[in-house]
Amino acid sequence: METQKSLKVIPLGGLGEIGKNITAIEYEEEIIVIDCGVSFPDEEMYGVDLVIPDITYLKNNAKKVKGVFLTHGHEDHIGSVPFILKQLNVPIYGTKLTLGLIENKLREHNMLQYCELHIVNAGETIELLNFKIEFIRVTHSIADSCAIVIHSPIGVILHTGDFKIDYTPIDGLVMDLERISNLGKDGVLLLMADSTNVEREGHSISEKTIGKTLTRIFSSAEGRVIVATFASNIHRIQQIVDACVRYNRKIVFIGRSMDNISQVAMDLGYLHIPEDYIIDVDEMHNYENKDITIITTGSQGEPMAGLARMAFATHRKITIEPDDLFIISASPIPGNEKLISRVINELFKRGAEVIYEDLEEVHVSGHAYQEELKLIHALVHPKYFMPVHGEFRHLRKHANLAQKLGMKGKDIFIMETGQVLELTKDEAKITGRVHTGSVFVDGLGVGDVGSIVLRDRKHLAEDGMLTVVVTLERESYSIIAGPDIITRGFVYAKESDVLINEVKEIVRTELNKCLENKVIEWNVLKFNMKKSVERYLYEKTNRRPIILPIIMEI
Amino acid sequence: METQKSLKVIPLGGLGEIGKNITAIEYEEEIIVIDCGVSFPDEEMYGVDLVIPDITYLKNNAKKVKGVFLTHGHEDHIGSVPFILKQLNVPIYGTKLTLGLIENKLREHNMLQYCELHIVNAGETIELLNFKIEFIRVTHSIADSCAIVIHSPIGVILHTGDFKIDYTPIDGLVMDLERISNLGKDGVLLLMADSTNVEREGHSISEKTIGKTLTRIFSSAEGRVIVATFASNIHRIQQIVDACVRYNRKIVFIGRSMDNISQVAMDLGYLHIPEDYIIDVDEMHNYENKDITIITTGSQGEPMAGLARMAFATHRKITIEPDDLFIISASPIPGNEKLISRVINELFKRGAEVIYEDLEEVHVSGHAYQEELKLIHALVHPKYFMPVHGEFRHLRKHANLAQKLGMKGKDIFIMETGQVLELTKDEAKITGRVHTGSVFVDGLGVGDVGSIVLRDRKHLAEDGMLTVVVTLERESYSIIAGPDIITRGFVYAKESDVLINEVKEIVRTELNKCLENKVIEWNVLKFNMKKSVERYLYEKTNRRPIILPIIMEI
């Protein structure tokens, strides 16, 4: 019986966390995946560059996986695509800009020629075996964003992706509320909706307001204007460009992602810059400061990006001048506040003027506020609801919002990554859990840094390490070289001669005690050395460096 | 000629940074010090517990230093007192509550009996040789806060300390604007004023509004109410207590600083709690949940404090129950946003309700906003102005504010820590710089962790370390034990057998090459080992662990 069959919705990342969005939707012998993002390491993940989802579940069901459908081109939704495609051969579907950005990534990974990419326009529907997957235009802080609708034998699932409701978007392409309203009229089984800004009251502000602020600022700028923003925010960049054209300023792009993304956006027709306006950084000296605008990466204060390099005078080609006006057209992502603040301080110190969000309206959010979320709930009035995209607090508040609008608590599912929501036409329940998790990318290594390595890095970061080496002669039960001691990150060596000599003495005493008793099992010797040194150092310094005892035997 | 003599104002900490406030004021053979604070390590200062000012300048002029005058009892103004008193024997002056908190600290350091503490009431003046030091009442987020006026032969200096203008303070003791106005009338040579909130428009909100919010929240709470706030915010705690008394809830204090500070505040008459209202955590089981309020530390999400322990279920005595209502009555200090967010998520996950600043007015700032700063400038209209307490961006904005009110740029001094402002009756200029800096406290060590140790800790945190040990026999030019390899924080050992074996082979080859050529200088051997291993690992992993080559020789 058709109605007994069930559909599974399995978030493999992105719930209870910011980023790493990926959801599997499974029916019979078919799985489709929505989004495939990365997240960025938190401060405890020492040395980690990127975090990608563990897709063991998809690999174990590789034959079923028919496609990855991308809502939009932000890193937290597409960043893992190259890593996933190395493990799974599957076609990728997305809008033109989204796939343009993916192509760039795949080219860098030298794998573009092996991958199957399908452009889908907003409004189009892809038909697979059991699923019809429809792309619906939404507005967001990157162009060409879509919600995704899965028409399944069990019912309709609407996944909003990231969105805000901007009635006056820069490209004139408004969110397709009519289609969403019609879906609601025909009946939506499950709504999955963006929770990022559920704590903000009211309605988000249109991207267009930024243009007005920029025009006003540009109109009175006497030197160079340097704007830092997200490279992916094409509409923001378009507005900066428009201000440049209006005030006849040449444009210099700084930063790898700024170069890459603006090029893709221009090639694909999302970003329009009159031909002779872009100049190379090396051509700047041909123009007066008042005729130059620099658009740079680094709006989060990232130490290696363009803005920070300018601020700390480590940029090879750009030196701050007294009439420079910096605009930081972005909000700090939580965790980046201090980095940005440091850059702002440094810019001021070098005599530049700096305009940032606390002072002027130079940034708006790309995520729906409470009143926009309410509109979507009211139009869709789904049978079941799963808040997505957010930490637990956001999911909980979004659930509360849905309840205030009339949904019953039992029809709302605050899920954890890995949990399985099983739906029939008449029922939804959490029925299990699949293996999932985070895989760390560090340099060229994917997955070779795990919790033990991170625990050690944390320990090393806090108290440093101390290596004790001795060479023993087995036959004579005697120390014939050492103990030698090397420390890093523990105490400044010059000031710690006494301490180190004392440690040597302790090791010598401890070893001789063992050797006299003819104990020469390495493990016992090492354990005793370690414990006695640990105890002494903690008593003297209140610190617990990692102690590495090494015994060489001849 | 008297008028030729000059007065020096030397900030030894607290400018261009948040915290570690300390300023020396010097005239002839006399120095007084205003405040003596700590700052907290930023995320690059791995393993550091506290940062205190380098007071080399004061030690080099020890005979001149006549007293330390404290504006109020916050850590960033008094935290270094015990460390300074270990290096300098000098009397401490402050209000009763401030000194009560200092006594606690000195007792913990076992040095209370050696120290000279003088209580000064707001309104009183201390006379030294050349200086008269007057304490003027201000309002702030800790009781008994004062501005300090230095009457010197050169002129009057007004240092506001931290302040806001609260017309309805909880203790009824309003800021002495009349005295400040009179000082202005008689002429102030130099104003030093708090810049913390100079970016905020308008006027700060009175502490009293919190009481109303708390009363409303308490009135409908059905289970325990758990409030996290700063232990030093006595007035906040008084308002929580008042709500408890109104709704007949017993009070449990959790956290060492909460215990200590509330005790001092009660003993000295700053905090009033009806006798039978305080209960011990172990007595909670005698009461119903609706009759209990817990006041706890940890409002910044600190992992070891009460609130985080409750959230992560590691508190020995308090387990979260479903009808618990948590109130986080504090703002995140920049850098702590993620820690707090993690705690909030965890509380929600365990089923508790959580109210925080984004949702309700449960916190107000203790620092003056723009309109309050303007009032002070208007009343004082000093000859010279030095913005204090803030990062560079705040000092710059405060200077702009003063200019908008009519001061000339040349009369405003944005100083750096260590710079010397030299004043006569008719002139002020920056004339030099004294040695200053940060001293790190790590465990029992004060100053034994410096930039090299921190650089190593950062390196270890990012890429871990790898030790290579060999024992060589000098006579035969041969390896007789090893190479052995130990890594920590680099790669997970089980997955890296091949890599490690390859490293051993590289070391062996490299050493044999040297030994064959009879090269046995340790430095050369070590350098070659290190370089070849580094090169190989970077090629294979894109990481640069610290390589520690150790050669034992027999």
Side-chain angles (χ1 to χ4, degrees):
Chain A
M1 274 166 33
E2 177 81 6
T3 50
Q4 294 298 23
K5 288 178 182 166
S6 70
L7 178 117
K8 291 178 186 165
V9 178
I10 314 172
L12 296 173
L15 292 192
E17 63 180 332
I18 299 287
K20 197 155 79 55
N21 295 293
I22 175 169
T23 306
I25 297 185
E26 180 171 1
Y27 180 78
E28 302 264 276
E29 293 306 303
E30 202 173 356
I31 293 176
I32 60 165
V33 177
I34 298 180
D35 286 337
C36 194
V38 294
S39 64
F40 296 96
D42 70 31
E43 63 287 358
E44 299 266 288
M45 298 178 189
Y46 294 111
V48 173
D49 301 322
L50 281 180
V51 183
I52 63 174
D54 181 333
I55 57 155
T56 303
Y57 183 74
L58 297 180
K59 285 194 286 183
N60 290 346
N61 293 279
K63 277 197 183 151
K64 289 188 178 182
V65 185
K66 304 303 183 205
V68 175
F69 294 80
L70 302 172
T71 57
H72 64 285
H74 278 151
E75 285 299 310
D76 52 337
H77 294 258
I78 67 166
S80 287
V81 167
F83 299 99
I84 300 311
L85 286 182
K86 282 174 189 167
Q87 306 171 64
L88 213 59
N89 184 15
V90 54
I92 308 285
Y93 298 83
T95 56
K96 198 165 62 168
L97 179 62
T98 307
L99 293 191
L101 297 173
I102 292 275
E103 274 186 22
N104 247 352
K105 285 180 186 294
L106 295 176
R107 206 173 287 120
E108 279 174 17
H109 283 259
N110 281 321
M111 52 194 292
L112 181 56
Q113 62 273 35
Y114 312 112
C115 300
E116 190 187 331
L117 306 180
H118 298 280
I119 292 180
V120 188
N121 296 312
E124 288 181 355
T125 299
I126 302 299
E127 297 203 22
L128 298 178
L129 191 62
N130 288 297
F131 295 121
K132 285 184 196 146
I133 297 107
E134 179 183 354
F135 282 61
I136 296 182
R137 182 177 308 290
V138 299
T139 36
H140 184 44
S141 46
I142 184 168
D144 228 2
S145 295
C146 283
I148 286 178
V149 186
I150 298 107
H151 301 270
S152 83
I154 301 297
V156 170
I157 300 175
L158 170 57
H159 189 301
T160 65
D162 286 355
F163 79 102
K164 69 188 281 189
I165 300 178
D166 190 339
Y167 295 104
T168 55
I170 302 307
D171 56 10
L173 299 169
V174 293
M175 182 160 169
D176 193 351
L177 291 170
E178 189 182 330
R179 179 63 188 137
I180 289 172
S181 165
N182 281 331
L183 283 167
K185 204 182 74 191
D186 297 340
V188 168
L189 183 66
L190 175 68
L191 170 67
M192 302 167 76
D194 183 7
S195 312
T196 311
N197 272 344
V198 68
E199 289 177 347
R200 300 206 194 167
E201 288 176 3
H203 199 292
S204 70
I205 293 167
S206 172
E207 177 67 30
K208 212 157 228 170
T209 60
I210 305 299
K212 288 185 199 134
T213 313
L214 290 175
T215 307
R216 183 168 45 74
I217 296 171
F218 272 64
S219 73
S220 59
E222 290 171 6
R224 296 186 300 192
V225 177
I226 299 109
V227 192
T229 192
F230 298 107
S232 63
N233 199 334
I234 314 289
H235 291 156
R236 185 72 47 84
I237 293 173
Q238 184 67 59
Q239 296 194 88
I240 301 164
V241 168
D242 293 348
C244 291
V245 172
R246 181 160 178 175
Y247 293 101
N248 211 18
R249 286 172 176 266
K250 300 295 177 189
I251 298 161
V252 180
F253 285 111
I254 294 290
R256 204 170 62 104
S257 64
M258 198 57 85
D259 284 336
N260 288 344
I261 298 182
S262 64
Q263 194 58 55
V264 170
M266 283 188 284
D267 291 349
L268 299 180
Y270 292 88
L271 178 61
H272 309 280
I273 308 184
E275 215 162 274
D276 53 342
Y277 268 84
I278 301 182
I279 61 167
D280 192 82
V281 62
D282 292 318
E283 298 174 80
M284 285 203 308
H285 65 272
N286 297 328
Y287 299 88
E288 286 185 60
N289 282 352
K290 70 174 181 46
D291 297 329
I292 297 173
T293 290
I294 298 170
I295 306 179
T296 181
T297 54
S299 63
Q300 294 299 307
E302 308 92 316
M304 305 305 285
L307 183 67
R309 283 182 190 272
M310 293 178 215
F312 290 95
T314 58
H315 198 283
R316 283 184 308 122
K317 307 205 164 173
I318 300 176
T319 310
I320 292 180
E321 299 182 22
D323 58 357
D324 281 348
L325 171 64
F326 284 80
I327 302 173
I328 300 177
S329 181
S331 273
I333 294 169
N336 293 342
E337 294 83 355
K338 278 182 132 177
L339 283 176
I340 299 172
S341 200
R342 218 171 284 165
V343 167
I344 293 174
N345 285 324
E346 205 61 31
L347 292 171
F348 275 128
K349 273 187 208 167
R350 291 179 196 277
E353 192 52 55
V354 193
I355 294 175
Y356 42 99
E357 209 192 9
D358 295 349
L359 308 174
E360 292 263 15
E361 203 156 77
V362 287
H363 180 67
V364 295
S365 174
H367 296 272
Y369 287 20
Q370 284 173 7
E371 296 307 314
E372 292 153 85
L373 296 174
K374 287 180 193 168
L375 173 57
I376 296 304
H377 282 269
L379 290 179
V380 177
H381 48 82
K383 188 157 184 176
Y384 303 111
F385 171 52
M386 184 197 299
V388 296
H389 304 162
E391 298 172 22
F392 192 87
R393 61 197 264 192
H394 304 114
L395 306 183
R396 153 93 8 239
K397 293 284 163 209
H398 202 171
N400 292 353
L401 179 143
Q403 276 187 276
K404 275 184 200 150
L405 295 176
M407 283 196 83
K408 295 203 181 90
K410 69 170 182 53
D411 295 332
I412 301 173
F413 297 88
I414 301 182
M415 309 269 293
E416 286 173 25
T417 289
Q419 281 188 323
V420 178
L421 180 67
E422 211 164 328
L423 298 140
T424 63
K425 283 173 178 155
D426 315 305
E427 204 183 14
K429 58 183 173 197
I430 294 172
T431 55
R433 185 183 283 280
V434 306
H435 177 82
T436 183
S438 293
V439 175
F440 301 135
V441 180
D442 177 6
L444 298 179
V446 178
D448 64 345
V449 168
S451 58
I452 295 174
V453 171
L454 288 187
R455 192 198 57 200
D456 283 347
R457 285 183 183 174
K458 183 174 195 304
H459 193 160
L460 289 166
E462 277 166 11
D463 286 330
M465 49 78 63
L466 182 145
T467 305
V468 194
V469 202
V470 289
T471 303
L472 301 183
E473 192 179 54
R474 181 172 273 276
E475 302 215 338
S476 63
Y477 289 97
S478 62
I479 301 171
I480 58 169
D484 280 5
I485 296 208
I486 296 188
T487 78
R488 284 290 183 283
F490 171 50
V491 286
Y492 186 50
K494 278 196 183 158
E495 291 181 8
S496 59
D497 278 356
V498 179
L499 197 72
I500 297 302
N501 284 331
E502 197 64 36
V503 171
K504 284 185 188 173
E505 197 46 47
I506 284 167
V507 171
R508 208 175 284 124
T509 311
E510 191 64 39
L511 277 181
N512 283 331
K513 209 162 64 189
C514 296
L515 294 171
E516 276 164 26
N517 296 319
K518 312 286 183 207
V519 175
I520 197 161
E521 284 91 37
W522 283 26
N523 288 339
V524 177
L525 293 180
K526 279 187 186 173
F527 181 83
N528 288 353
M529 276 162 71
K530 189 163 183 271
K531 282 293 144 198
S532 55
V533 173
E534 261 175 13
R535 202 179 308 125
Y536 172 75
L537 291 179
Y538 187 72
E539 193 187 300
K540 286 289 175 186
T541 67
N542 239 330
R543 296 175 212 168
R544 300 186 184 283
I546 288 190
I547 313 286
L548 295 179
I550 305 178
I551 299 176
M552 308 287 286
E553 190 188 305
I554 60 167
Chain B
M1 275 165 30
E2 177 81 4
T3 51
Q4 296 297 25
K5 287 179 184 167
S6 70
L7 178 117
K8 291 178 187 166
V9 178
I10 314 172
L12 296 172
L15 292 192
E17 63 180 332
I18 299 288
K20 197 155 80 54
N21 295 293
I22 174 168
T23 306
I25 296 182
E26 180 171 1
Y27 180 78
E28 302 263 277
E29 294 306 302
E30 200 172 359
I31 293 176
I32 61 164
V33 178
I34 297 181
D35 286 335
C36 195
V38 293
S39 65
F40 296 96
D42 69 31
E43 64 288 357
E44 299 267 286
M45 299 177 187
Y46 294 112
V48 172
D49 300 322
L50 281 179
V51 182
I52 63 174
D54 180 333
I55 57 156
T56 303
Y57 183 74
L58 297 180
K59 284 194 286 184
N60 289 345
N61 293 279
K63 277 197 183 153
K64 290 187 177 183
V65 185
K66 304 303 182 204
V68 175
F69 294 80
L70 303 172
T71 57
H72 64 285
H74 279 153
E75 285 299 312
D76 53 336
H77 294 258
I78 67 167
S80 287
V81 166
F83 299 98
I84 300 312
L85 286 182
K86 282 174 189 167
Q87 305 171 64
L88 213 60
N89 184 16
V90 54
I92 308 285
Y93 299 83
T95 56
K96 197 166 63 168
L97 179 63
T98 306
L99 293 191
L101 297 173
I102 292 276
E103 276 186 20
N104 247 350
K105 284 179 186 294
L106 296 176
R107 207 172 287 119
E108 280 173 18
H109 284 258
N110 282 319
M111 51 194 292
L112 180 57
Q113 63 273 34
Y114 312 114
C115 302
E116 189 185 333
L117 306 181
H118 298 280
I119 292 178
V120 188
N121 296 312
E124 287 181 357
T125 299
I126 303 299
E127 298 203 21
L128 299 179
L129 191 62
N130 288 299
F131 294 120
K132 285 186 194 145
I133 298 108
E134 179 183 355
F135 282 61
I136 297 182
R137 181 175 310 287
V138 299
T139 38
H140 184 43
S141 46
I142 184 168
D144 229 2
S145 294
C146 284
I148 286 178
V149 185
I150 299 107
H151 302 270
S152 84
I154 300 297
V156 170
I157 299 174
L158 169 58
H159 189 302
T160 65
D162 287 354
F163 79 101
K164 69 190 281 189
I165 300 179
D166 191 339
Y167 294 104
T168 54
I170 303 305
D171 57 9
L173 299 170
V174 294
M175 182 159 169
D176 194 350
L177 292 170
E178 187 181 335
R179 178 62 187 137
I180 290 172
S181 164
N182 280 332
L183 284 167
K185 204 183 73 189
D186 296 342
V188 169
L189 183 66
L190 174 69
L191 170 66
M192 302 166 77
D194 183 6
S195 312
T196 310
N197 273 343
V198 69
E199 289 178 347
R200 299 203 194 171
E201 288 177 2
H203 200 293
S204 70
I205 293 167
S206 172
E207 177 67 31
K208 213 157 227 172
T209 61
I210 305 297
K212 288 186 200 136
T213 312
L214 289 175
T215 307
R216 182 168 46 73
I217 296 170
F218 271 65
S219 72
S220 59
E222 290 170 6
R224 296 186 298 194
V225 177
I226 299 109
V227 192
T229 192
F230 298 107
S232 62
N233 198 333
I234 315 287
H235 290 155
R236 183 73 46 86
I237 293 172
Q238 183 68 60
Q239 295 194 90
I240 301 165
V241 167
D242 293 348
C244 292
V245 172
R246 180 160 176 176
Y247 293 100
N248 211 21
R249 287 172 176 264
K250 300 295 178 189
I251 297 160
V252 181
F253 285 112
I254 295 290
R256 205 170 63 104
S257 64
M258 197 58 83
D259 284 336
N260 287 346
I261 298 182
S262 65
Q263 194 58 54
V264 170
M266 283 188 285
D267 291 349
L268 299 180
Y270 292 89
L271 178 62
H272 308 282
I273 308 183
E275 216 163 90
D276 52 345
Y277 268 83
I278 299 182
I279 62 168
D280 192 83
V281 62
D282 293 317
E283 297 175 81
M284 284 203 308
H285 66 271
N286 297 329
Y287 299 88
E288 287 186 58
N289 281 351
K290 69 175 181 48
D291 297 329
I292 296 173
T293 290
I294 297 170
I295 305 178
T296 181
T297 54
S299 64
Q300 293 300 306
E302 308 92 316
M304 304 306 285
L307 183 67
R309 283 182 190 272
M310 292 178 215
F312 290 94
T314 57
H315 198 283
R316 285 185 306 121
K317 306 206 166 173
I318 300 177
T319 310
I320 292 181
E321 298 182 22
D323 58 356
D324 281 349
L325 171 65
F326 284 80
I327 301 172
I328 300 177
S329 182
S331 275
I333 295 169
N336 293 342
E337 294 83 355
K338 278 183 130 177
L339 284 177
I340 298 173
S341 200
R342 217 171 285 167
V343 167
I344 293 173
N345 285 323
E346 206 60 31
L347 292 171
F348 274 129
K349 275 187 208 168
R350 290 179 197 276
E353 193 51 54
V354 192
I355 294 174
Y356 43 99
E357 211 193 9
D358 293 348
L359 309 175
E360 293 261 14
E361 202 155 78
V362 287
H363 180 68
V364 295
S365 173
H367 297 273
Y369 288 20
Q370 283 173 7
E371 296 307 313
E372 294 152 84
L373 295 174
K374 288 179 191 167
L375 173 58
I376 296 303
H377 281 270
L379 290 179
V380 177
H381 48 80
K383 187 159 187 175
Y384 303 112
F385 170 52
M386 183 197 300
V388 297
H389 303 162
E391 299 173 20
F392 192 87
R393 61 196 264 190
H394 305 115
L395 306 182
R396 153 86 17 230
K397 293 285 162 206
H398 203 171
N400 292 353
L401 180 143
Q403 274 186 277
K404 277 184 198 148
L405 295 175
M407 283 196 83
K408 295 204 180 89
K410 69 169 183 54
D411 295 331
I412 301 173
F413 297 88
I414 300 182
M415 307 269 291
E416 287 171 26
T417 290
Q419 281 189 324
V420 179
L421 180 68
E422 210 163 330
L423 298 140
T424 63
K425 281 174 180 152
D426 313 306
E427 203 182 14
K429 58 183 172 195
I430 295 173
T431 56
R433 185 183 284 278
V434 306
H435 177 82
T436 181
S438 292
V439 175
F440 302 135
V441 180
D442 177 6
L444 297 178
V446 178
D448 64 346
V449 168
S451 58
I452 294 174
V453 171
L454 287 186
R455 192 196 57 198
D456 283 346
R457 285 182 183 175
K458 183 173 192 309
H459 193 160
L460 290 166
E462 277 165 13
D463 286 330
M465 49 79 63
L466 182 144
T467 305
V468 194
V469 202
V470 288
T471 304
L472 301 182
E473 192 179 55
R474 181 173 274 275
E475 303 215 337
S476 64
Y477 289 98
S478 62
I479 300 171
I480 58 168
D484 282 3
I485 298 214
I486 295 187
T487 79
R488 285 289 185 281
F490 172 47
V491 285
Y492 185 49
K494 278 196 183 159
E495 292 181 6
S496 59
D497 278 357
V498 178
L499 197 72
I500 298 301
N501 283 332
E502 197 65 32
V503 170
K504 285 185 186 170
E505 198 45 47
I506 285 168
V507 171
R508 209 174 284 125
T509 311
E510 191 65 38
L511 277 181
N512 283 331
K513 207 163 64 188
C514 295
L515 294 171
E516 275 165 27
N517 296 320
K518 311 287 182 206
V519 175
I520 199 161
E521 285 91 37
W522 283 27
N523 287 340
V524 178
L525 293 180
K526 278 188 187 173
F527 180 82
N528 288 352
M529 276 162 71
K530 190 162 181 274
K531 280 295 145 199
S532 54
V533 173
E534 259 174 14
R535 203 178 309 123
Y536 172 76
L537 291 179
Y538 186 71
E539 194 187 300
K540 287 287 174 187
T541 65
N542 239 331
R543 298 176 209 166
R544 301 186 185 283
I546 289 190
I547 312 286
L548 296 180
I550 306 178
I551 297 175
M552 308 286 286
E553 191 189 304
I554 61 168

